[in-house]
Amino acid sequence: MNNHLRRIPLSDTLNLRDLGGYAAANCGATRWNAFFRSACPNSLSSGDGEILRGLCVTDVIDLRGGDNADEVMRGYEVLPFLNVHHIPVGDEAVPKTASEVPSNYLKIAEHCNMPQVFRVLAESRGGVIFHCFAGKDRTGVVAAILLMLADVSDEDIIADYTLTYAYFIKRLREDFLRDDAEPNVFKPLPDHMEGFMRLFREKYCDVRSFLLKQGVTEQQINKILRKFVVFPKG
């Protein structure tokens, strides 16, 4: 398999995407095969395992709460080489209006378990997949924080966030049918991510300050950056 694919096509898993290939700080770029965002893996085959081995994935972070961990663990039983971490961030409540989404994302970022997520990203031996249900909200927040840490442009961060609409559209359309929330709550709209980043920076200025305040060490932050950002030779 080409190791520089944006979307990784597994047998029954939507929206698994590599965060590599974005322009980063000081003429660098985010590294391929380091960090992957995903929707929840419905099931994983031995063939999927070979793909993940080829991408050097060693760890998976399930960001969902509730009783979802047992369900996901069953999916990984055929892939014993993966270390699976259940680290819930945020609750299962859905904002009622689209205007509430950015502030809800800030609450996710500030969840007490978020430092644990970044410690796994720092200390893993190889690539890390992190996922929630659709790979949009909790996953989108973690991806945005990683990309902001690498000094990726806001335009690319927003574009990365909105890609979920294309890859998860069939399931999202089912959610649109719910009558207890605005349809735009479920769509990965540019305004949602732009609003979150604005609130985040107003409160914390930058990601390094945020992570240090949350209890992630300077050493762990630097480990993440060494894994995630590559610079041109010469």
Side-chain angles (χ1 to χ4, degrees), residues 21-36:
Y22 289 115
N26 301 318
C27 299
T30 55
R31 190 187 302 272
W32 295 98
N33 301 358
F35 300 127
F36 303 83

Side-chain angles (χ1 to χ4, degrees), residues 199-210:
L199 292 176
F200 182 93
R201 287 166 176 149
E202 286 173 355
K203 188 166 185 178
Y204 295 104
C205 294
D206 60 72
V207 173
R208 186 178 289 268
S209 299
F210 163 77

Side-chain angles (χ1 to χ4, degrees), residues 9 28 50 57 193 206 222:
E50 290 306 307
V57 174
M193 182 51 60
D206 60 72
N222 290 336

Side-chain angles (χ1 to χ4, degrees), residues 51 136 148 161 230:
I51 291 173
K136 176 174 70 75
M148 284 192 287
Y161 170 73
V230 61

